[in-house]
Every structure is written in C-alpha cells, then in structure tokens.
Amino acid sequence: NGLDVPNGVLRSSMIPSWSLHTTVKRVLQSIRTVIFTSKLNLLMPFGPATIVLYYTTNWHGVIFLFSMLGITPLAERLGYATEQLAIYTGPTLGGLLNATFGNATEMIIAIYALKNGMIRVVQQSLLGSILSNMLLVVGCAFFAGGIIHRNKDQVFSKATAVVNSGLLLMAVMGLMFPAVLHFTKSEIQQGASELALSRFSSCIMLVAYASYLYFQLSARNSNYSQIGSEEVPNEDATEEDEEVEISMWEAIAWLAVLTIWISVLSEYLVNAIEGASDSLNLPVAFISVILLPIVGNAAEHASAIMFAMKDKLDITIGVAIGSSTQISMFVIPFCVVVGWMMGQKMDLNFQLFETATLFITVLVVAFMLQDGIANYLKGLMLVLCYLIVAASFFVHVDPQASAMMIDATTNDEHCNYCTKIPPMTR
C-alpha cells in the first residue's frame, strides 16, 4: 500500500498466517482421509440422533439400535487410526496397540455398565467379545482368505497360536473355579469366599498378562510376537510405506477424539439395554453376549478379514486371538479390580452356562489352530459354531434374572396375602 514497513516486520507478520493456513489445510485433509474414505461412516449421523432421541423420547429400543449403529463406524475408524499408528511403532508393538484400542469400545461399555451396577451385563458383554473374536472374526477371516486363495492352504505361526491358546486356557481356569465353588456350595463363607477368590485370581491374571507382554516384546523371544516373526520382503515394506495416510501425531489425536466420542455414546447404549430388552422382546443375555460384541469388534472384524485376504494370517491371528487373550487376561481382571475400587461386587463367577460355553469354544479353536493351517472349511465351521452359540443364548435365561423374578413374584403374593388379613390379626 505504499507504506514503509521493515522487511523483518513484514516477514514476522506473514509467518503466523502461513502457519495457520497450513495447519487448517492439514486438519481438513486429515478429516477427509479419516471420515470420508470409509463407506461405513454413513452411519455416523446415528450418533447425534441417539442423543436427540434419548432426551426427547422413551423409545429405548430405537435408542439402543441407533447407538449401536453410531458406535460401529467409530470402532472401525478407531482400528484404522491404530493401524496407521502401528506403521510408525513397528509390527510387534503395533499388534499390541491394535488389540488394545480394538478392545477400547468393550472396556468403555463395561466400565459404564459397572458404574451403574449392571455386573451381569459386564460379564456377558466381555464373554461375548471373546466368543465373537474367536469364532466369528477368525471364522470369517479364514473363510474369506480361503475363498480368495482357494488353490492353497494358508499358513501362520503355530508358536503364536500355542502361546495364546495357553493363556486362554489359563483364563478359563480363573473363571471356572469361582463358578464351581458357587454351584457346589463348598464355600467357607457364602458369597464372600467366591468374591475373595475372584479378586485374588484377577490379580494373578494381571501379573500373568504383564509377564506375557514382556515375553512378547523382548527381542530374544520375537518368534512369539503377535504379528508374524518373519522378515518382511522389500516389496511388502514398500507396500506398507504406501499405506501411510496420516502422520503419527494425527493418528494419536484421532485415537483420543474417537475414544471420547465412543465413551459418550456408550453411556446412552448402556442406559438403554434394559428398556431395549423389553421393547424388542430379546433376552438381556442375547443382547449382551451377541449384539454388543458385534459393535465392539467392528475394528477387529474388518482388519482380520482384510489381512486374511492379503494372505497375512499371522496378523489376523494376532488381531483376533490376541484380542481375545487381552480381554480374558486383562480386561476382565481389570474390571474386577475397578469394581473392587467402586464398591461393586464384580467377580469371576460367569455362571455355569457361560463358563462351559467359553471352555468348549477355547478347546474348539485351539484344535483348529494347532496345525498352523487355515482354509475356508475351517472358517465355515467356526462361523457355524458361532451360530450355535448365538441360538443358545437366544433361548437362555439368566439364572440371576429368573431368581429376581421369582423373588418379586413371591413378594407380591405375600403382600397381597397380607392386605387380606385384618390389622389386628397381623
């Protein structure tokens, strides 16, 4: 404008606007990459719709369905951000991060349910996550990979499968003894011994999982890492470099944002479970064991199938079976300890039906994985096993829920009887 302005002042005044312009451009590019590149993100408007319906209507069934639909793309994008971060951290730590943030949805839902005193919902949703990962996710991955590579058997590291199967059997043992102690009525103190044993076993399981992490991440035991121990050829390395779409700090920021948004919707989801059970005429056990894990496992499901179709079954096993191991050996004991701090009597007594289902599932999957070979037939068998489990929980009535109904009916009959008696007779 014809004004005499020193060059240094002019440059210093221009730098902030240039930096702000670059930052805004980078943020918009990141939003476009993360939000608008997945067709599943068409479900994201169901999240805000859930909040609106929660405060304006009493349609608990619709609120539950909308919150499920709203959380599903968030869980999938959480897995995407974790995979992007894994490119920078390396394969072993990346597999651990993938399993951890893949289970973030289940953990958030469990903590909200635990805070509301819904202990059975916590137990059943975490059990359902294990069953879904081991049967449905692995089964769909094996089936999809087997169809794409039908001319050969896909192979994966048997060492990884053996270590994870051993940890899952240890988790089954930790869940079985409190249930057996309860149903054989052999406790020293009724209820108290079962709770004390659960808390002690949870601490032991947390120590075992910490030891497993050290064993897995140590360099000399790299053969047992969750994500294949083989050296990657140059072509794969180039392919992974091309898959980098967002920076490391952008991935961390998206993990924080998505986790917060999932935690918000999880609260509405948990609050609508009982109302949805009545309005949809579905057992709470079926909702907790079958429907909730399908939402929470969206990230693992998509990742496992994608890697199986690329013939990277070591990563598939690391994502699916590693996620089941983390839930059984970390998330469940962690919820017991958190419930202990909250004053909630969260224990490892998952009732006889659920414990038997988990034990049989672990045995079936362990036998399927012992030879280190995958094909579409094994995948189909695992999916069909999951359908049997789903049908079983559809006709299953929770013993605690039925006991509460009997007590309520008895109390009502007693009250009606008392009202018929004259006051002086009482």
Side-chain angles (χ1 to χ4, degrees):
N1 295 328
L3 298 177
D4 292 331
V5 181
N7 291 334
V9 176
L10 183 61
R11 291 193 187 97
S12 62
S13 64
M14 292 176 62
I15 288 176
S17 62
W18 178 82
S19 300
L20 180 62
H21 174 73
T22 304
T23 303
V24 171
K25 183 178 179 180
R26 186 64 185 173
V27 169
L28 293 177
Q29 176 67 26
S30 180
I31 292 174
R32 190 183 71 171
T33 302
V34 176
I35 301 298
F36 296 103
T37 56
S38 174
K39 295 181 180 179
L40 198 61
N41 289 334
L42 294 174
L43 299 176
M44 280 193 175
F46 283 99
T50 298
I51 301 176
V52 174
L53 289 176
Y54 183 83
Y55 289 105
T56 57
T57 66
N58 291 323
W59 304 341
H60 296 288
V62 178
I63 294 171
F64 177 78
L65 293 176
F66 273 35
S67 59
M68 283 183 59
L69 293 174
I71 290 176
T72 300
L74 298 176
E76 191 274 332
R77 290 290 87 185
L78 193 70
Y80 166 79
T82 307
E83 291 170 6
Q84 291 294 308
L85 184 60
I87 297 175
Y88 299 96
T89 59
T92 302
L93 185 58
L96 179 61
L97 289 173
N98 203 318
T100 301
F101 282 98
N103 293 328
T105 306
E106 292 95 326
M107 186 178 293
I108 293 170
I109 294 174
I111 291 176
Y112 272 111
L114 192 61
K115 186 178 69 172
N116 293 339
M118 304 169 68
I119 295 177
R120 288 296 292 153
V121 172
V122 176
Q123 293 177 332
Q124 291 172 343
S125 63
L126 294 179
L127 172 71
S129 296
I130 299 174
L131 299 177
S132 176
N133 273 311
M134 297 182 68
L135 294 177
L136 184 62
V137 175
V138 176
C140 290
F142 280 9
F143 183 79
I147 293 295
I148 296 296
H149 305 279
R150 66 175 66 91
N151 296 326
K152 66 171 185 177
D153 284 332
Q154 294 180 288
V155 296
F156 54 88
S157 173
K158 290 189 289 186
T160 304
V162 168
V163 173
N164 282 284
S165 298
L167 285 170
L168 287 168
L169 287 172
M170 180 181 177
V172 169
M173 186 177 70
L175 299 179
M176 183 174 291
F177 283 117
V180 172
L181 193 67
H182 174 80
F183 285 98
T184 57
K185 301 187 183 302
S186 56
E187 301 175 78
I188 296 178
Q189 296 180 348
Q190 190 70 26
S193 300
E194 171 191 338
L195 183 61
L197 176 62
S198 298
R199 290 170 174 172
F200 176 78
S201 299
S202 297
C203 295
I204 296 297
M205 292 164 70
L206 290 174
V207 172
Y209 186 72
S211 303
Y212 163 67
L213 291 182
Y214 175 78
F215 177 81
Q216 182 189 22
L217 295 175
S218 59
R220 60 190 180 87
N221 292 320
S222 59
N223 289 333
Y224 295 92
S225 62
Q226 277 183 342
I227 299 189
S229 57
E230 296 83 0
E231 294 184 359
V232 184
N234 293 330
E235 294 83 3
D236 292 341
T238 304
E239 180 183 350
E240 288 187 358
D241 290 339
E242 293 175 354
E243 292 177 355
V244 176
E245 298 179 2
I246 58 177
S247 67
M248 183 178 69
W249 290 109
E250 287 175 341
I252 294 174
W254 277 111
L255 287 175
V257 171
L258 291 170
T259 302
I260 292 172
W261 186 224
I262 287 173
S263 66
V264 171
L265 291 182
S266 297
E267 184 174 7
Y268 298 102
L269 178 69
V270 170
N271 292 335
I273 287 178
E274 293 181 352
S277 175
D278 296 332
S279 60
L280 299 177
N281 197 22
L282 292 175
V284 176
F286 181 81
I287 292 176
S288 302
V289 177
I290 304 302
L291 296 184
L292 289 183
I294 291 177
V295 175
N297 291 335
E300 291 96 330
H301 210 149
S303 300
I305 293 177
M306 179 186 68
F307 287 124
M309 293 174 68
K310 293 180 180 179
D311 201 16
K312 298 180 180 179
L313 277 191
D314 283 319
I315 306 181
T316 297
I317 298 298
V319 170
I321 304 299
S323 179
S324 299
T325 302
Q326 189 176 68
I327 293 175
S328 59
M329 293 296 293
F330 173 72
V331 178
I332 292 177
F334 178 76
C335 288
V336 172
V337 174
V338 170
W340 191 1
M341 296 177 181
M342 290 181 177
Q344 300 285 353
K345 294 183 178 180
M346 169 75 181
D347 56 23
L348 296 179
N349 178 15
F350 278 43
Q351 303 299 321
L352 199 58
F353 183 82
E354 286 91 339
T355 306
T357 303
L358 178 62
F359 178 61
I360 295 171
T361 299
V362 171
L363 287 183
V364 169
V365 175
F367 277 112
M368 290 285 187
L369 300 180
Q370 66 177 348
D371 59 355
I373 297 175
N375 50 56
Y376 68 89
L377 178 60
K378 286 186 176 181
L380 180 61
M381 291 170 64
L382 290 175
V383 173
L384 295 178
C385 288
Y386 186 75
L387 293 179
I388 293 175
V389 171
S392 300
F393 277 97
F394 186 76
V395 299
H396 172 64
V397 177
D398 192 355
Q400 290 189 4
S402 59
M404 291 174 62
M405 292 175 60
I406 293 173
D407 291 340
T409 304
T410 305
N411 291 334
D412 291 340
E413 291 177 354
H414 178 70
C415 292
N416 293 332
Y417 174 74
C418 290
T419 56
K420 298 176 183 178
I421 301 176
M424 293 301 295
T425 309
R426 296 182 209 171

